[in-house]
C-alpha cells in the first residue's frame, strides 16, 4: 500500500476547488501533479485515488455540475495512522504533550528528562478548538486540557482548579475595581461561547433581548485580548492565562461568584503507556495547585 498521501491531497484539493489551476495554487505546486495523465499522477493512480476517496464523487473538475467530493475524514484518519506508525518506528522514545495557554509544563518535563536522558519531549500548544482533536489524531500522546471537554474515547484525570477572571479594556467602567460580581457584567458583550460562562449566560442582557452581536472567529488568547483592548467586549479566562498574557491596555478582575476552571490530564483510551502514566503522575505532583485537585 502506498502510504504517501500526496495523491489523496491532490484529489481533495481538486475536488474542493473544481479547478486544476486553483488546486495547484492552493497546494503551492505547478498544475501538472494535480492533472490526470501528468508526471505527478498517472491516470491509473488518479483513478485509484478517486475510487478510494469516494465512490460518488467525480474524478474531474470539468464535471463541475456534479456533487463535489469530501474525502477530508479519510485523509485525516490516514494522517493519524501514519503518525502512529512513524512514532512506533522511532529509535528514540518520544512523548508529545499538548498544553493549553497559561499552563507551564517546565517542572514536569524537566523531571521526565532527568529520569529518561534519551527521551525526546515535544510540546504542542493547543486552544479550546483543538485540545481534544490533537489527542484523537495522534499529534499528541497526552494533553493538559481545560474542562469541559467531550470525554468520548479519552481517559481523563482531574488535576486542579483555578479562578477565572474577567478581562476588560482599561477604559471600561469596571476597570480599577478590586473585584466584581457576575451581575456587574450582565450588560457587556461576551467574546466567547455563552455556554462557557453559564453564570453570565443566565443573566446576560444581550441574550434576554435577542440582540447579541456576532462574535468573530477567535483562534488565540492574543486575538481575544486584542478585541478586549479595542473595546469590542469582555472575556473570561483562567487566572494563569491572564497572568501570562499581561498588557497595559487590558485589566484582569476577579469575579466573586464565578465558578473555577478545571484542569485535567487526558489521553486516548487504549493508548496508555508507562511513559504516559509517569507523565500524569508527575503532573499531579508538580503542577501549581495540583495538590489541591478536586
Amino acid at each position: 500500500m502506498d502510504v504517501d498521501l500526496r495523491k489523496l491531497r491532490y484529489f481533495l484539493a481538486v475536488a474542493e476547488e473544481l479547478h486544476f489551476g486553483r488546486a495547484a495554487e492552493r497546494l503551492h505546486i505547478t498544475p501538472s501533479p494535480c492533472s490526470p495523465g501528468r508526471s505527478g499522477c498517472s491516470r491509473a493512480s488518479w483513478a485509484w485515488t478517486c475510487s478510494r476517496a469516494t465512490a460518488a464523487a467525480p474524478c474531474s473538475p470539468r464535471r463541475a455540475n456534479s456533487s463535489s467530493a469530501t474525502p477530508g475524514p479519510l485523509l485525516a484518519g490516514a494522517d493519524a495512522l501514519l503518525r502512529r506508525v512513524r512514532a512506533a518506528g522511532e529509535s528514540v522514545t518520544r512523548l508529545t504533550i499538548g498544553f493549553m495557554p497559561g499552563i507551564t509544563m517546565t517542572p514536569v518535563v524537566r523531571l521526565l528528562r532527568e529520569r529518561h536522558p534519551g527521551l525526546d519531549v515535544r510540546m504542542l500548544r493547543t486552544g479550546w478548538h483543538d485540545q481534544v482533536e490533537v489527542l484523537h489524531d495522534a499529534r499528541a500522546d497526552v494533553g493538559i486540557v481545560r474542562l469541559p471537554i467531550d470525554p468520548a474515547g479519552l481517559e481523563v484525570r482531574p488535576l486542579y482548579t483555578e479562578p477565572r477572571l474577567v478581562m476588560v479594556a482599561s477604559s471600561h467602567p469596571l476597570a480599577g475595581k478590586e473585584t466584581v460580581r457576575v451581575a456587574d457584567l450582565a450588560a457587556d458583550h461576551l467574546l466567547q461561547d455563552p455556554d462557557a460562562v453559564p453564570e453570565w449566560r443566565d443573566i446576560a442582557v444581550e441574550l434576554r433581548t435577542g440582540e447579541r452581536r456576532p462574535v468573530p472567529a477567535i483562534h488565540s488568547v492574543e486575538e481575544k485580548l486584542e478585541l478586549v483592548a479595542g473595546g469590542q467586549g469582555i472575556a473570561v479566562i483562567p487566572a494563569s492565562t491572564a497572568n501570562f498574557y499581561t498588557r497595559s491596555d487590558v485589566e484582569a478582575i476577579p469575579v466573586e461568584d464565578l465558578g473555577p476552571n478545571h484542569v485535567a490530564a487526558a489521553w486516548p483510551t487504549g493508548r496508555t503507556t508507562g511513559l504516559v502514566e509517569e507523565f500524569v503522575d508527575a503532573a499531579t505532583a508538580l503542577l501549581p495547585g495540583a495538590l489541591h485537585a478536586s
Side-chain angles (χ1 to χ4, degrees), residues 143-145 157-161 263-265 280 283-285 287 289-294:
I144 301 299
V145 300
R157 182 183 297 181
L159 294 176
Y160 62 93
T161 64
V263 177
V280 174
T284 301
L287 288 184
L291 294 179
H292 307 288
S294 60

Side-chain angles (χ1 to χ4, degrees), residues 96-103 105 123-135 137 139-146 149 219-222 241 245 264:
T96 301
I97 304 165
F99 69 102
M100 287 286 284
I103 299 176
M105 300 303 305
M123 306 301 298
L124 178 63
R125 182 186 182 278
T126 62
W128 286 103
H129 63 289
D130 66 351
Q131 60 174 342
V132 168
E133 179 183 313
V134 301
L135 299 173
D137 67 14
R139 278 179 284 166
D141 301 300
V142 63
I144 301 299
V145 300
R146 294 191 184 278
I149 61 171
H219 302 99
S220 67
V221 177
E222 292 89 344
T241 306
Y245 292 93

Side-chain angles (χ1 to χ4, degrees), residues 17-137:
E17 296 292 343
L18 295 179
H19 191 279
F20 286 120
R22 288 195 296 270
E25 181 179 352
R26 168 174 154 183
L27 295 169
H28 305 293
I29 59 175
T30 59
S32 60
C34 288
S35 304
R38 302 299 180 89
S39 59
C41 187
S42 68
R43 291 185 182 277
S45 296
W46 180 261
W48 183 92
T49 301
C50 289
S51 64
R52 293 302 186 273
T54 174
C59 292
S60 169
R62 294 181 177 86
R63 297 173 59 185
N65 59 346
S66 301
S67 298
S68 60
T70 57
L74 172 64
L75 184 59
D79 272 334
L81 175 60
L82 282 180
R83 277 191 286 269
R84 293 181 191 129
V85 170
R86 288 166 181 162
E90 291 287 339
S91 57
V92 177
T93 303
R94 175 183 298 173
L95 183 70
T96 301
I97 304 165
F99 69 102
M100 287 286 284
I103 299 176
T104 301
M105 300 303 305
T106 306
V108 180
V109 173
R110 182 185 295 121
L111 177 61
L112 289 180
R113 284 178 172 153
E114 288 175 354
R115 292 178 176 175
H116 307 278
L119 181 63
D120 180 10
V121 180
R122 302 194 177 185
M123 306 301 298
L124 178 63
R125 182 186 182 278
T126 62
W128 286 103
H129 63 289
D130 66 351
Q131 60 174 342
V132 168
E133 179 183 313
V134 301
L135 299 173
H136 288 309
D137 67 14

